[in-house]
Amino acid sequence: MPILSEKERLLRKIQACSFALVEANLYLDSHPTCRDGLAYFARHKAEKEKLIAQYNEKYGPLTISQNNSSKKWEWVTSPFPWERSVD
């Protein structure tokens, strides 16, 4: 198994949270009042938002909608999330 960089590990965590949110969404579609399901969704949503903020801070915006600079278009100043880089 290849050794992952810190950036790749962070991306994997974001992907795992995204998967959990999709699964929770599907469950909640048929169980909309399930408190455990709602709590699970909220927990993973908060975790994903935290991880995305960490990624944006360290590596730049993960998506174009996360470009927060009014001074420059940060999206093109660092490698795209899917590109490998040397950490």
Side-chain angles (χ1 to χ4, degrees), residues 3-4 15 19 26 30 52 60-61 65-66 72 77 81-82:
I3 297 174
L4 300 177
Q15 290 169 336
F19 179 82
L26 293 172
S30 61
I52 287 173
S65 63
Q66 295 162 347
K72 69 178 180 177
T77 60
W82 56 87

Side-chain angles (χ1 to χ4, degrees), residues 13-60:
K13 289 178 182 179
I14 292 168
Q15 290 169 336
C17 283
S18 295
F19 179 82
L21 287 171
V22 169
E23 291 297 306
N25 176 199
L26 293 172
Y27 174 79
L28 289 167
D29 283 349
S30 61
H31 301 80
T33 60
C34 176
R35 289 185 184 183
D36 290 338
L38 291 166
Y40 180 88
F41 184 88
R43 187 171 59 251
H44 284 84
K45 181 181 176 197
E47 180 67 13
K48 182 180 176 186
E49 289 169 354
K50 181 183 92 176
L51 292 168
I52 287 173
Q54 288 175 5
Y55 185 95
N56 290 339
E57 179 73 26
K58 290 182 179 183
Y59 306 109

